[in-house]
């Protein structure tokens, strides 16, 4: 059998711990035998990021911008414990934060449904696509722990010399303050990314924020969404028979729990971070969710939304073959390959990606799965396998 050829490369961003282990197995068993894989490889393993003072992460982000498509493994965001564990020079910032900020994108996350794993929220019949703004807010914050009584102020110094100054608080004692920001241009592209993706998927868009409390900051999000919608999407939405509506974030949460799904929920950065984990775990497992970062100029980075599955990795290091679910990692690859094929006009690459997704889902629907899903499966699973056996089952169907 001759292998499928790729016209252009994709940026491949390797990561850490259990996901790094599975990344290699997926390539060996499910991709290399069928595709002449063309990738630009960036090792975003923690030690390598630290050694390069994060230069490698910026290079990888640039490669995604240049090539248009990237695929990323999960990576450790360092903390004090990791500095000790990996003997790091410094606390490095979140690589996802760096890449999202470089691409100024929106992250779309969609649960992966299978027939025999039922959603904990019984009203959800169709996937909820979460559109997470991936720029600014608390992820690019500036914080101070204030040591004593004093006045906290917010100061803006304009390029043209204007100064705006406001008192945050006359603080009666030590405390904490935080400054966050966003840019109109980024919010506009967030809105466009959401509306474009929703049109493509033919689903309505809900957007929730807290403009009653945050009249200027969240109010600006609300206004920009409405302005972009009215000017550029209203007619297209009417033609597609879908709608856009804004509501308060707490009302959005209440409605989401009662809806039947089949919609895009646009969320500000923090809301999207938290709510995507809720949606994913309600739908079975953190590993049953796709995640793609879309930049306003049409670059795509596919990833798993879960982390490096640290606890499983420590068991793996002791010799255990863990039952870690590789589905989100597989779908990161299929998403990237299908997008590469779509952009390059290589239909066999797109077809291959669809076949690999089908082989993965049909394995689970045949009752063969990893431990995380076994607890939820109805009927009870026929076989609960470790990751390696599970990937072999997928390969045999493929
Ligand atoms: P995690 O890797 O998402 O895992 C948390 C727990 O969720 C696991 O212990 C496991 O539960 C379950 N789980 C997650 N993915 C699974 C899978 N594929 N199959 C089966 N179970 C799965 O989060 P974490 O352990 O809190 O974080 C580990 C590291 O990941 C951290 O250093 C963090 O910085 C990093 N992180 C990276 C990303 C990213 O790169 N996108 C995102 C989040 C976190 P059980 O133990 O109950 O089996
Ligand atoms: Mg999260």
């Amino acid at each position: 059998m001759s292998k499928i050829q790729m016209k252009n490369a994709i940026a491949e961003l390797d990561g850490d711990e259990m996901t790094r282990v599975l990344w290699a197995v997926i390539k060996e068993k499910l991709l290399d035998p069928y595709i002449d894989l063309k990738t630009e490889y960036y090792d975003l393993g923690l030690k390598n990021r630290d050694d390069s003072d994060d230069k490698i992460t910026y290079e990888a982000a640039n490669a995604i911008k240049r090539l248009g498509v990237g695929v990323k493994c999960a990576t450790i965001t360092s903390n004090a414990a990791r500095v000790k564990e990996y003997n790091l020079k410094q606390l490095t910032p979140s690589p996802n934060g760096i890449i999202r900020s470089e691409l100024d994108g929106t992250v779309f996350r969609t649960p992966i449904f299978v027939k025999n794993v039922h959603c904990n929220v019984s009203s959800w019949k169709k996937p909820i696509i979460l559109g997470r703004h991936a720029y600014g807010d608390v992820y690019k914050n500036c914080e101070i722990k204030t040591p004593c009584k004093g006045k906290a102020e917010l100061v803006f110094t304009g390029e043209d010399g204007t100064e705006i100054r406001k008192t945050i608080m006359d603080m009666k004692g030590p405390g904490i303050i935080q400054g966050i920001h966003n840019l109109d241009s980024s919010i506009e592209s967030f809105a466009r990314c959401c509306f474009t993706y929703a049109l493509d998927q033919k689903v309505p868009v809900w957007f929730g924020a807290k403009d009653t409390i945050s009249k200027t900051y969240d109010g600006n999000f609300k206004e920009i969404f409405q302005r972009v919608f009215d000017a550029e999407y209203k007619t297209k939405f009417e033609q597609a028979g879908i709608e856009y509506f804004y509501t308060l974030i707490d009302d959005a949460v209440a409605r989401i729990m009662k809806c039947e799904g089949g919609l895009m929920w646009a969320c500000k950065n923090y809301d999207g971070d938290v709510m995507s984990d809720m949606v994913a775990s309600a739908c079975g497992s953190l590993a049953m969710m796709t995640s793609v970062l879309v930049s306003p100029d049409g670059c795509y980075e596919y990833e798993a939304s879960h982390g490096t599955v640290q606890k499983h990795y420590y068991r793996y290091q002791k010799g255990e073959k863990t039952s870690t679910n590789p589905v989100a990692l597989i779908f990161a690859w299929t998403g990237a390959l299908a997008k590469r094929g779509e952009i390059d006009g290589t239909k066999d690459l797109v077809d291959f990606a669809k076949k690999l997704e089908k082989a993965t889902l049909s394995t689970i629907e045949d009752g063969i799965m990893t431990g995380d899903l076994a607890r939820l499966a109805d009927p009870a699973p026929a076989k609960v396998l470790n990751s390696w056996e599970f990937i072999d089952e997928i390969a045999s169907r493929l």
Side-chain angles (χ1 to χ4, degrees), residues 9-14 38-43 59-60 62-64 66-67 71:
I10 57 184
E12 176 187 350
L13 285 57
D14 209 344
K38 248 191 187 178
T39 73
E40 260 185 38
Y41 181 84
Y42 294 87
D43 182 357
E59 282 170 9
N62 275 321
I64 298 171
R66 181 163 35 79
L67 299 170
V71 60

Side-chain angles (χ1 to χ4, degrees), residues 315-335:
R315 298 203 320 252
Y316 167 79
Q317 281 183 315
K318 287 192 188 133
E320 185 188 331
K321 291 246 166 166
T322 60
S323 186
T324 314
N325 188 336
V327 170
L329 292 170
I330 295 171
F331 274 65
W333 274 102
T334 56

Side-chain angles (χ1 to χ4, degrees), residues 135-382:
Y135 179 83
D137 298 356
V138 74
Y139 301 85
K140 266 261 182 228
N141 65 3
C142 170
E143 302 182 314
I144 306 175
K145 195 162 163 53
T146 53
C148 55
K149 185 177 172 185
K151 184 175 176 182
E153 288 180 290
L154 208 52
V155 183
F156 172 79
T157 315
E159 211 181 34
D160 63 357
T162 45
E163 187 184 281
I164 308 172
R165 185 177 285 265
K166 276 191 170 185
T167 301
I168 299 171
M169 193 69 195
D170 281 313
M171 296 171 72
K172 293 189 174 56
I176 40 179
I177 53 177
Q178 178 185 60
I180 59 171
H181 86 286
N182 224 298
L183 295 170
D184 288 357
S185 58
S186 179
I187 302 169
E188 279 164 22
S189 31
F190 169 39
R192 285 195 187 98
C193 284
C194 288
F195 292 138
T196 306
Y197 199 78
L199 268 175
D200 182 58
Q201 305 281 313
K202 296 249 181 317
V203 290
V205 176
W206 298 9
F207 177 43
K210 195 74 178 175
D211 66 297
T212 44
I213 301 297
S214 168
K215 292 183 177 20
T216 305
Y217 199 101
D218 280 21
N220 196 47
F221 273 84
K222 178 184 175 183
E223 265 173 45
I224 289 178
F225 258 71
Q226 197 62 52
R227 172 157 49 73
V228 170
F229 179 74
D230 289 343
E232 301 168 35
Y233 292 92
K234 201 166 192 271
T235 325
K236 291 180 205 154
F237 267 53
E238 277 164 12
Q239 283 162 357
I242 53 178
E243 58 162 8
Y244 161 65
F245 87 97
Y246 172 85
T247 184
L248 284 173
I249 182 68
D250 26 3
D251 181 50
V253 169
R255 283 170 187 254
I256 283 287
M257 298 313 289
K258 290 186 286 188
C259 77
E260 66 160 26
L263 61 96
M264 167 173 307
W265 185 11
C267 286
K268 288 178 60 200
N269 209 346
Y270 176 80
D271 298 339
D273 181 351
V274 178
M275 290 304 162
S276 63
D277 285 2
M278 184 196 73
V279 171
S281 79
C283 290
S285 159
L286 288 179
M288 296 299 283
M289 177 166 250
T290 65
S291 182
V292 56
L293 173 71
V294 184
S295 79
D297 50 351
C299 296
Y300 293 79
E301 183 218 43
Y302 294 84
E303 54 166 16
S305 67
H306 59 74
T308 59
V309 213
Q310 185 180 7
K311 284 189 207 130
H312 292 209
Y313 182 61
Y314 293 157
R315 298 203 320 252
Y316 167 79
Q317 281 183 315
K318 287 192 188 133
E320 185 188 331
K321 291 246 166 166
T322 60
S323 186
T324 314
N325 188 336
V327 170
L329 292 170
I330 295 171
F331 274 65
W333 274 102
T334 56
L337 292 170
K339 183 52 77 180
R340 184 75 279 168
E342 187 191 312
I343 294 171
D344 293 350
T346 40
K347 190 174 168 297
D348 46 354
L349 196 56
V350 180
D351 289 346
F352 172 79
K354 296 295 156 222
K355 282 178 189 160
L356 176 50
E357 288 181 359
K358 207 172 148 211
T360 305
L361 300 184
S362 67
T363 304
I364 300 172
E365 290 184 342
D366 286 346
I368 298 166
M369 59 194 75
T370 47
D372 55 326
L373 296 181
R375 292 189 284 266
L376 304 156
D378 178 23

